[in-house]
Amino acid sequence: MVFPTLQFIGFFAVVLALNLIVWNRNGWRKALLIAASYVFYAAWDVRFLALMAFVSATAYLAGIGVTKPGLRKLSKVLAIVAMLGVLGVFKYYDFFMLNLQRLLEGTAFARDLQWLTLILPVGISFYTFQAISYVMDVDRGHIPARKNPADVFLYISLFPQLVAGPIVRAAHFLPQIDAPTRPDTTARAAAVVLILSGLFKKMVVANYLSVLLVDPVFGLPDGQYWLSALAATLGYAIQIYCDFSGYSDIAIGVALLLGYQFHINFDQPYRADSLRDFWQRWHISLSTWIRDYLYIPLGGNRGTPLHSHFTLILTMTLAGLWHGAGWNFILWGFFHGAFLAIERVFRRLRIRLPKLLAIAAVFVIVGLLWIPFRAASFPETLQMFAAFTKSEGYAAPEIIPFVWVLLALGFAMNWLPLALRDRAEMLIARLAPELQAAILAIGVWIMFATAQDGVAPFIYFQF
Amino acid sequence: MTRFTAACFVALVAAWLLSGERFLDAVFEMVDLGPVDDTIIAGVVVAEDWKASLGLPDLFSAMRTAIHQGLGLL
């Protein structure tokens, strides 16, 4: 089920009402939200419910296991192997087999290897990471192990964040299960603003940019020239920001109405004046996850500068692989790691650019690195880069005036002062609940009327 | 929160009444809930028939056409 659909609106309205009815019965609330989350997930593919339940049960049992002195290490290792195993089989198995087969071609070991050709379960990367963070946090003593399995099942499956994040931390979320906050007028106002801004970013800016500009150019990279390549690269930078931050905004807003608070996942990322700053603003829940559970355990900033540079590049390469089983994503992660390492050297040498120039430089680097992220294959990545050197090609009919408006709107969503959003929230918070609901309903109605036909899935669903 | 939720429901019904959107289509896309499905579908069919009998204008489509024309997309 996707947020910007009539199906989700009907589903959420029912869950919102039932949640209110059972508000004072915490056990019922948990059961309701777990059931709703499983229905939400089953709307995509009912077969993979068992997989999510398996990951949740593993996390629950491992959480108890790591608190027992004799079982601590075994529980942790088994849980992480099981969860990464699930991820490995469903997401990476065929990729590794394909590359192994290519590697063996022409050698004495060449043979046809077996493929699994499995469907990638939606959101698998997100919920396995949440499950791992639960086990690790219990193991580190940050949170107590939950005795009630419903707590862990709800933490892993809660539908607003289930398929594309934010990756909610157990230490932040589990205490809210015990004492959810009844949404007051401020929370409702924040939810209205978040849901409407998220829908606008996704249904208007991201979807139209995708159809009118990005897909036609990236679909035929060979025949493009510098202007269309530039416009499509710029368009994709805006599209992916609006698509993913739009999803996060809606998820946070929907959770707020159910009584749960998630941390923000995007903080105006294209305002970043360094790549380090960019990663503190972009997909914040993933950045902090890989910092805490990958970069620091691998050595982090400890040891020699060379070692920490290596760790940084390795971590970012693995983060690239997390996004997708393909060399394009590995390349994307590797170059982000390499640029982060170079930036560290510059910082150590006290070489700094003026702020505006630094923001522009970061945007150019991030934008160009989106090319391998978006292109369908490595050869197409090279074709897109080659298009920047061509002065002739398709006449770029996709760059109609509306596209420029969309690009400007996308930039505005990134650059508008946060105070403006706070002001809108304050104004809505002063209104009666009926008016708040009317603003939400009219806003959603207008977004649906403005959007194109059909349902475009969110980019991060594939991860 | 009760007033907010109730108002959301009223708005949802109003939006459905004044649009050509059919909940029946959305229900058919939902996961099969077994015997409950038949009851839900039967209820939605009655509601859709009632909506059709009212003969209300499809304001949603009119608004959609106006917006798309304004944006130069039609």
Side-chain angles (χ1 to χ4, degrees), chain A residues 385-419:
Chain A
F385 278 114
F388 280 92
T389 63
K390 294 180 190 167
S391 56
E392 286 180 8
Y394 293 137
E398 50 281 337
I399 311 175
I400 58 173
F402 183 50
V403 165
W404 293 111
V405 174
L406 292 171
L407 290 173
L409 286 171
F411 270 111
M413 297 308 287
N414 177 77
W415 280 92
L416 279 180
L418 291 176

Side-chain angles (χ1 to χ4, degrees), chain A residues 16 20 182-184 188 256-258 433, chain B residues 1-6:
Chain A
L16 192 64
L20 205 60
R182 200 176 178 95
D184 59 9
R188 285 196 302 270
L256 263 178
L257 291 179
L258 293 174
Chain B
M1 197 58 196
T2 310
R3 285 164 58 191
F4 177 83
T5 308

Side-chain angles (χ1 to χ4, degrees), chain A residues 61 95 104 290 452:
Chain A
L61 293 172
F95 172 68
L104 296 177
I290 58 175
Q452 55 183 328

Side-chain angles (χ1 to χ4, degrees), chain A residues 32 66 343 372:
Chain A
L32 165 73
V66 294
E343 194 177 85

Side-chain angles (χ1 to χ4, degrees), chain A residues 208 434 445 448-451 453, chain B residues 3 9 11 15 29 63-64 68:
Chain A
Y208 276 118
E434 294 80 1
W445 172 282
F448 272 69
T450 311
D453 282 327
Chain B
R3 285 164 58 191
F9 260 95
E29 284 172 22
M63 186 184 194
R64 184 180 175 79
H68 283 224

